[in-house]
């Protein structure tokens, strides 16, 4: 969607009727520019009603991001937030900004990512107004080697915020997928810059499914859960973004000072497969069956097999028959 379409969407976001004339006047554009904006919004998947004499309205209001509101709700934290309508990937952008010397605590959120990235080289799909996609840049005195547990710590922060926002059943699937019984609620992608021995910089990216989006569900190969369905109410994405960033900065401060040790017990309490029979699919295609016994101080998955307790730093976990779906 181009700038005009976003402006039109913002004008209609409240779900009330707005005449084409009013929208044109407020935006300082022509009626035909508004018409193109409406056409593009429909093309992006929004249902729009048109009623003679009343104007246009969205079939369902949409909560769009507003940097001033998010920043206000982040008072007292070291986080400075920026919001973009469209960009390639918030992670890619913050990695570039980090290389140019951007300060720690810088957060970047986008309504649309044209090249959103997931873990293991996957694409991350998101729908406008339906997903929350953002990244947070953080500088650490430690090197990448000591930050092994960071991605798990970040998962703890997300679950805390998502439980408080209306998904009390949210849990973690190793290493850091946030899951509900219905499917995946949020994913995390962490990228690092710097020296192995330190200092280093992390870009912590998160994608949260806020509202069910048929296009996203059709594009991904696993079940997707969303926060509004879990909470049974509409979610203000600005409030949610601020809550996620507040929790993230609090958890990262603890992690930077005390390491993952301080968060390990909580991670295991939130672990969807704790003490369950699982299968770990390794990157080389082999798989190992065992009982998930939680995680080590460095974030490795501990698997109890016939040969004893083994530690794993990569792979995809799935439940074995008889376990509870997650
Ligand atoms: C995963 O579960 O595979 C991780 C998904 C991470 C997606 C987020 S969306 C914001 C940030 N920018 C990206 O390109 N990816 C992360």
């Amino acid at each position: 969607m181009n700038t005009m379409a976003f402006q039109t969407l913002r004008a209609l976001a409240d779900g009330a009727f707005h005449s084409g004339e009013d929208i044109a006047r407020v935006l300082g554009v022509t009626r035909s520019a508004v018409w193109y904006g409406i056409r593009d919004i429909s093309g992006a998947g929004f249902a729009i009603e048109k009623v003679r004499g009343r104007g246009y309205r969205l079939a369902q209001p949409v909560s769009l991001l507003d940097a001033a509101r998010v920043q206000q709700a982040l008072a007292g934290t070291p986080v400075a937030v920026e919001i973009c309508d469209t960009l390639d990937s918030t992670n890619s952008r913050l990695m570039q900004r980090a290389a140019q010397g951007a300060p720690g605590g810088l957060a970047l959120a986008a309504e649309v990512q044209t090249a959103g990235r997931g873990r293991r080289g996957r694409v991350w799909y998101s729908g406008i107004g339906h997903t929350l996609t953002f990244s947070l840049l953080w500088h650490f005195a430690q090197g990448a080697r000591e930050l092994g547990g960071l991605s798990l710590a970040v998962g703890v922060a997300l679950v805390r915020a998502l439980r408080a926002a209306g998904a009390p059943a949210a849990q973690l699937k190793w290493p850091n997928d946030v899951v509900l019984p219905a499917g995946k609620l949020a994913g995390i992608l962490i990228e690092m810059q710097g020296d192995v021995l330190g200092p280093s910089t992390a870009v912590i990216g998160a994608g949260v499914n806020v509202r069910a989006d048929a296009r996203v569900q059709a594009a991904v190969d696993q079940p997707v859960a969303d926060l509004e369905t879990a909470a049974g109410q509409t979610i203000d994405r600005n409030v949610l973004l601020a809550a996620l960033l507040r929790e993230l900065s609090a958890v990262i401060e603890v992690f930077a000072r005390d390491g993952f040790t301080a968060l390990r017990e909580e991670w295991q309490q939130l672990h969807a497969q704790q003490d369950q029979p699982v299968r770990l699919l390794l990157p080389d295609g082999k798989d190992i069956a065992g009982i998930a016994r939680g995680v080590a101080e460095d974030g490795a998955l501990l698997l109890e097999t016939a040969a004893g307790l083994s530690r794993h730093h990569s792979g995809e976990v799935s439940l074995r028959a008889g376990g509870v779906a997650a």
Side-chain angles (χ1 to χ4, degrees):
M1 289 212 318
N2 61 23
T3 308
M4 184 61 224
F6 268 107
Q7 285 181 350
T8 313
L9 184 60
R10 283 186 198 283
L12 292 172
D14 61 4
F17 275 107
H18 297 268
S19 71
E21 201 173 1
D22 281 350
I23 299 172
R25 187 167 28 77
V26 169
L27 300 181
V29 298
T30 62
R31 290 284 299 276
S32 67
V34 172
W35 186 87
Y36 282 115
I38 300 275
R39 186 200 57 180
D40 291 351
I41 299 172
S42 306
F46 289 93
I48 295 178
E49 286 175 47
K50 185 181 178 200
V51 175
R52 189 181 287 277
R54 300 187 75 186
Y56 304 94
R57 79 166 172 192
L58 288 177
Q60 205 181 1
V62 62
S63 163
L64 296 175
L65 295 173
D66 175 341
R69 279 190 61 205
V70 180
Q71 194 62 63
Q72 199 175 20
L74 282 167
T77 74
V79 179
V81 75
E82 292 181 13
I83 287 166
C84 266
D85 282 343
T86 307
L87 46 65
D88 50 357
S89 147
T90 55
N91 260 44
S92 305
R93 283 293 170 93
L94 278 195
M95 287 294 274
Q96 288 160 11
R97 299 275 293 273
Q100 293 158 2
L106 176 62
L108 179 62
E111 291 291 5
V112 177
Q113 291 189 126
T114 54
R117 293 181 288 115
R119 286 193 301 120
R120 297 155 69 90
R122 294 194 186 112
V123 171
W124 177 264
Y125 293 98
S126 46
I128 306 166
H130 289 201
T131 318
L132 203 47
T133 51
F134 65 97
S135 302
L136 175 65
L137 189 158
W138 209 273
H139 297 302
F140 291 90
Q142 302 95 319
R145 201 190 305 168
E146 284 177 74
L147 300 182
L150 176 64
S151 78
L152 281 76
V154 166
V156 169
L158 256 59
V159 171
R160 281 188 195 168
L162 290 167
R163 284 185 164 204
Q171 287 185 300
L172 287 164
K173 176 172 173 270
W174 186 84
N176 56 16
D177 278 356
V178 181
V179 294
L180 281 171
K184 181 160 162 172
L185 179 60
I188 295 162
L189 176 68
I190 300 190
E191 295 177 290
M192 306 288 303
Q193 272 177 25
D195 202 277
V196 213
L197 298 174
S200 59
T201 298
V203 168
I204 298 152
V208 179
N209 300 318
V210 178
R211 184 174 287 182
D213 184 323
R215 292 181 182 207
V216 171
Q217 184 67 82
V220 296
D221 57 0
Q222 58 181 317
V224 172
D226 69 281
L227 184 58
E228 288 195 344
T229 302
Q233 61 180 41
T234 56
I235 298 290
D236 183 324
R237 288 161 74 246
N238 291 292
V239 173
L240 179 64
L241 178 58
L244 287 160
L245 287 168
R246 181 176 285 279
E247 204 61 79
L248 268 173
S249 73
V251 162
I252 295 171
E253 275 168 3
V254 168
F255 176 86
R257 193 183 58 233
D258 304 327
F260 180 58
T261 316
L263 298 151
R264 183 173 164 227
E265 186 51 41
E266 186 176 355
W267 192 96
Q268 294 186 158
Q269 299 272 338
L270 299 174
H271 184 198
Q273 283 97 20
Q274 186 72 14
D275 300 322
Q276 306 251 356
V278 297
R279 195 172 295 285
L280 180 68
L281 178 63
L282 300 172
D284 64 5
K286 294 190 183 127
D287 66 290
I288 307 173
I291 307 289
R293 293 296 187 205
V295 286
E297 309 273 291
D298 64 355
L301 177 72
L302 299 176
L303 212 56
E304 188 184 314
T305 67
L309 202 61
S310 54
R311 302 159 67 97
H312 301 273
H313 289 276
S314 56
E316 282 289 309
V317 180
S318 61
L319 275 182
R320 280 190 285 141
V324 181

